[in-house]
Amino acid sequence: MSLDIPFASEPLIYLKRQLKRVPAAVRLARLCKAAVRRAPCYAMRIVGTILYPVFGDRGPLRGYHDSTSDYLRSGCGQYVALTQQADAMVPPDLFQPNLFVAVVPGARVLSESGAVIAPDHRLLADVSWAGDKAESEPWAHPALRRFELPPIQHVGGRVAIINSIQAGNYYHWMFDILPRLGLLQRSGLTADRYIISATTGFQRDTLKLLGLSDDRLSSPDAGTHIRADELVIPSLSGPVFSLSPQQHACAYLRSAFLQKDRYREPHRAIYITRGDATHRRVINEAEICDDVAALGFEVVSLSGVPFSRQVEMFAEARIIVGPHGAGFTNAVFCDPGTVLIEFMPTGRVIDCFERLARIGRLTYHSLICAEIDTDGRPVTNDHVVDRSALRDLIARYV
């Protein structure tokens, strides 16, 4: 008789493998991991509650409310529920975001991410995204780990918080932040001022086209801590890192920026280059550019191109080809039937632009490309496009 006994150097590995076969042990391990991850939040909540009578609104937060509607059941304010705009041509998602606009007297905005703090010194979690996962993790929000908050600036009147995380990223600016202005518009509520970033070229361009003058804008930064007479809080457009973009966001962007009478019928073939990027580049792009140019494509870099020109370019496109990147955000302005062909390295397969194509009734294809490991992070890896496969795919439409 022989016994399968692990070597003395591997007892923990052996034990872990055996425990994974026990469902109760797996559930217990997950609960323990969750408790460890959330322990700092629980500890700070206790500290914040104890210190609140001494330090007031500059001290540690006292925890968080899961939702703005929960807070308003016990506090004063206004809540306007909104419905997802339906399009009979687009199949509805199983996920439907909870859309609303709330008005909370005396609420505060913290930092450039637009975190919202209720008058009872607790975070409003559903309008304060935390983390970079598919779901927000309010217990991990940086605001809940601060022992001291910045000095408070009081702003009179009605102030709308529009900013959220990733405001400097074009994709998130368009699909997560600007649509909050659309929700505010739909609610019928108004604001005297807006807390929203207005530092980059695309931010200033889009806000100008929306008619928001500089004197009504406040760009938040790391030291921002603003209390408003009344804080107007549009809900987040939807999950920031999953199930994005949302249908209502696309409808708002098209209504806000498309001027149909100024564009020609879709006729342009466009290749978007990332040749000036520092990561996720196409290694054999010179050859790819030669191939597509021979088929009548324009090879364009979107860096530095004014926003209105980008809208025009995509509104007039009949086929768009290029590597995965924020430039494909502009496909929201394409006519139904426009063809999108997107390159992605094997370690960065993501469906956001496929989802956008489905909402806009575009024809979408992805080419999964062999990646070149540049720094060990698949999100940034350069890649090589199969020229033959690309030519065959383009040949269906050109």
Side-chain angles (χ1 to χ4, degrees):
M1 182 178 68
S2 64
L3 296 175
D4 183 15
I5 301 175
F7 290 109
S9 61
E10 300 179 337
L12 293 179
I13 296 175
Y14 176 77
L15 178 61
K16 186 176 180 180
R17 288 174 179 169
Q18 297 304 311
L19 288 175
K20 282 184 176 180
R21 300 176 181 178
V22 183
V26 172
R27 287 194 294 272
L28 180 60
R30 289 175 180 170
L31 288 173
C32 290
K33 286 182 180 179
V36 170
R37 288 197 303 266
R38 300 181 188 206
C41 172
Y42 298 147
M44 288 297 291
R45 182 168 65 184
I46 295 171
V47 171
T49 301
I50 294 171
L51 296 181
Y52 185 64
V54 179
F55 295 101
D57 292 341
R58 294 284 307 278
L61 295 182
R62 302 168 62 205
Y64 62 87
H65 297 282
D66 286 316
S67 71
T68 303
S69 60
D70 286 346
Y71 167 75
L72 288 176
R73 289 191 184 99
S74 57
C76 64
Q78 184 178 358
Y79 187 92
V80 179
L82 303 171
T83 58
Q84 175 75 282
Q85 293 172 308
D87 184 336
M89 299 295 292
V90 180
D93 282 327
L94 294 176
F95 170 83
Q96 294 293 325
N98 184 26
L99 303 179
F100 63 86
V101 177
V103 180
V104 181
R108 289 171 282 142
V109 175
L110 181 69
S111 80
E112 69 270 27
S113 68
V116 179
I117 304 173
D120 65 358
H121 205 51
R122 291 182 173 90
L123 189 77
L124 293 181
D126 61 337
V127 288
S128 305
W129 188 277
D132 57 1
K133 303 294 192 300
E135 295 182 1
S136 184
E137 300 173 326
W139 46 268
H141 200 288
L144 293 168
R145 297 168 185 254
R146 299 181 67 165
F147 280 92
E148 183 180 22
L149 303 186
I152 298 173
Q153 174 191 2
H154 179 79
V155 178
R158 271 195 171 181
V159 180
I161 170 59
I162 306 299
N163 239 47
S164 183
I165 65 170
Q166 299 287 335
N169 178 287
Y170 184 66
Y171 174 91
H172 292 291
W173 174 258
M174 295 292 285
F175 288 127
D176 297 327
I177 294 174
L178 290 186
R180 299 183 81 181
L181 289 168
L183 298 179
L184 181 58
Q185 186 181 80
R186 286 175 56 193
S187 73
L189 298 171
T190 58
D192 303 309
R193 293 189 63 82
Y194 302 86
I195 300 175
I196 185 170
S197 294
T199 56
T200 69
F202 66 77
Q203 290 170 345
R204 292 191 296 269
D205 285 352
T206 49
L207 293 175
K208 183 177 180 180
L209 288 171
L210 291 171
L212 297 180
S213 58
D214 291 343
D215 61 338
R216 300 180 66 194
L217 306 178
S218 295
S219 290
D221 56 31
T224 293
H225 192 188
I226 293 174
R227 176 188 281 118
D229 286 344
E230 291 185 307
L231 188 65
V232 184
I233 313 166
S235 61
L236 298 180
S237 176
V240 174
F241 297 106
S242 180
L243 291 172
S244 177
Q246 288 291 312
Q247 188 174 326
H248 74 91
C250 296
Y252 171 69
L253 295 175
R254 290 181 64 85
S255 67
F257 298 118
L258 271 180
Q259 304 174 39
K260 295 299 286 185
D261 57 344
R262 62 169 291 181
Y263 309 124
R264 297 168 60 187
E265 288 296 315
H267 65 284
R268 301 169 71 169
I270 297 171
Y271 176 84
I272 302 173
T273 173
R274 283 180 59 88
D276 57 353
T278 58
H279 62 273
R280 211 163 56 245
R281 295 161 297 190
V282 176
I283 297 298
N284 59 336
E285 187 164 64
E287 293 87 351
I288 296 296
C289 287
D290 288 341
D291 291 344
V292 297
L295 296 171
F297 278 72
E298 307 169 48
V299 177
V300 300
S301 170
L302 297 178
S303 299
V305 178
F307 174 73
S308 57
R309 286 278 309 281
Q310 295 188 42
V311 174
E312 177 183 6
M313 188 185 304
F314 279 73
E316 294 182 349
R318 62 185 175 87
I319 180 170
I320 299 168
V321 178
H324 173 78
F328 268 78
T329 300
N330 292 314
V332 69
F333 303 118
C334 289
D335 261 17
T338 299
V339 177
L340 298 185
I341 300 176
E342 178 185 23
F343 313 150
M344 284 184 284
T346 52
R348 178 60 172 174
V349 178
I350 186 170
D351 68 350
C352 55
F353 295 121
E354 181 179 6
R355 178 181 175 83
L356 174 59
R358 191 164 62 247
I359 292 172
R361 303 195 294 278
L362 314 179
T363 299
Y364 175 87
H365 296 277
S366 64
L367 273 181
I368 308 304
C369 306
E371 63 184 3
I372 306 297
D373 189 352
T374 53
D375 63 2
R377 298 182 62 222
V379 67
T380 64
N381 281 351
D382 297 340
H383 46 289
V384 177
V385 175
D386 185 326
R387 295 171 65 191
S388 176
L390 178 60
R391 284 194 296 265
D392 291 345
L393 189 53
I394 291 176
R396 302 185 195 178
Y397 306 102
V398 175

